[in-house]
Amino acid sequence: AVSFAFAPDGRRLAVAGRGRGDRASGVYLVELGTGESRLLLAADEAHSLVWSPNGEFLALVGRMADQEGPAILILHVRTRQLAYQGQTGVIDELPADSPIAAWG
């Protein structure tokens, strides 16, 4: 594991790391009550995990297999779909369609 973040409800833990054995590299969701984990996002690189206040989204810096460099990724946790993908660096103004625009 290279990065982790507790969900706002305190029942889940997002963990980013390199795969070992038959496990893929990426972001996993661990249910703390049972210890069960599942892959949320396969990524060659992932770190700096941050949950949305409502626990619906997970933001991170990551690099997918088909990307040359890292990007800001926002993942819808329930559906495991990317809700947003943008360049890293200083952001003067968030795009209107960015889910993190309402995080406060």
Side-chain angles (χ1 to χ4, degrees), residues 1-45:
V2 296
S3 184
F4 65 90
F6 287 95
D9 64 10
R11 298 183 313 200
R12 301 171 292 165
L13 180 68
V15 180
R18 294 192 176 267
R20 189 165 51 182
D22 64 344
R23 299 204 59 144
S25 295
V27 180
Y28 286 83
L29 182 66
V30 179
E31 298 292 336
L32 296 175
T34 64
E36 292 182 32
S37 65
R38 64 182 168 105
L39 182 64
L40 290 179
L41 178 71
D44 289 348
E45 179 184 321

Side-chain angles (χ1 to χ4, degrees), residues 21-102:
D22 64 344
R23 299 204 59 144
S25 295
V27 180
Y28 286 83
L29 182 66
V30 179
E31 298 292 336
L32 296 175
T34 64
E36 292 182 32
S37 65
R38 64 182 168 105
L39 182 64
L40 290 179
L41 178 71
D44 289 348
E45 179 184 321
H47 58 88
S48 304
L49 305 174
V50 178
W51 285 88
S52 65
N54 65 4
E56 189 173 341
F57 294 95
L58 187 65
L60 62 128
V61 175
R63 184 174 59 81
M64 308 299 283
D66 60 344
Q67 291 179 314
E68 191 170 304
I72 296 170
L73 306 173
I74 301 174
L75 179 68
H76 189 265
V77 176
R78 185 177 42 79
T79 65
R80 295 188 276 184
Q81 298 295 314
L82 282 177
Y84 176 81
Q85 186 172 343
Q87 295 180 339
T88 59
V90 177
I91 301 172
D92 292 327
E93 186 174 324
L94 288 171
D97 64 343
S98 171
I100 63 173

